[in-house]
Amino acid sequence: MEQTFVMIKPDGVQRGLTGEIISRIERKGLRIVAMRMCQVTDETARRHYAEHVEKPFFNSLIEFITSSPAVPMIVEGAGAVSVMRTIAGATDPKESLVGTIRGDFGLDVGRNLIHSADSLESAKREIAIHFTEDEAVLYERAEERWVYE
Ligand code: IDP
Ligand code: MG
């Protein structure tokens, strides 16, 4: 089973979409194995978005991500990395397809509601930034034999 890193950003929490977003992940059949609500620290945000340090939007991105509580999580399932990117939608919500989280609820690239790791390697790196190993729980959902052949 593949694991990916997902985070409901502060706009998602402030807009009361936490439950809606979690529900979409659950209904897909994916398994949430770690989750918390927390205010991301400046240090964690800078590590998380290190690849964007030279971008013109870097400072505003860090300010936004640390401005209010977020909900980081580890999501597990077949093809979890790419499945979660599909559920999240394209980076700019103006272009994300309707039916995706960003496409259904967003309008601005700086307020795109959810983060989802872009590769298995990124997922591993990001999980290690936001969670300790003992925070992920090992379990099966009762419905899994109805989700997987
Ligand atoms: P991703 O979240 O879809 O992987 P990235 O290109 O990795 O997109 O960018 C990380 C985050 O930085 C985006 O989710 C978005 O919040 C923000 N961002 C990306 N491009 C821009 C921009 O042009 N202006 C403002 N914010 C941006
Ligand atoms: Mg990215």
Side-chain angles (χ1 to χ4, degrees), residues 9 49 51-52 55 57 60-61 64 85 89-91 102 109-112 114-116 118:
K9 295 183 180 183
Y49 281 123
E51 64 170 318
H52 295 304
K55 305 271 170 64
F57 58 82
S60 59
L61 177 60
F64 162 61
R85 290 284 286 189
T91 304
R102 288 163 168 176
V109 68
R111 297 287 184 271
N112 63 2
I114 184 165
H115 167 83
S116 185
D118 64 7

Side-chain angles (χ1 to χ4, degrees), residues 36-50:
R36 76 164 83 83
M37 176 162 302
C38 64
Q39 195 141 353
V40 176
T41 64
D42 185 75
E43 190 203 335
T44 299
R46 283 172 192 279
R47 281 178 68 201
H48 175 101
Y49 281 123

Side-chain angles (χ1 to χ4, degrees), residues 124-135:
K124 287 205 174 81
R125 191 187 74 87
E126 293 165 13
I127 287 169
I129 290 172
H130 293 270
F131 290 101
T132 56
E133 252 170 59
D134 63 344
E135 281 180 286

Side-chain angles (χ1 to χ4, degrees), residues 95-128:
E95 285 152 24
S96 328
L97 297 178
V98 167
T100 65
I101 292 164
R102 288 163 168 176
D104 285 349
F105 301 116
L107 281 171
D108 190 332
V109 68
R111 297 287 184 271
N112 63 2
L113 300 143
I114 184 165
H115 167 83
S116 185
D118 64 7
S119 65
L120 209 47
E121 193 190 358
S122 300
K124 287 205 174 81
R125 191 187 74 87
E126 293 165 13
I127 287 169

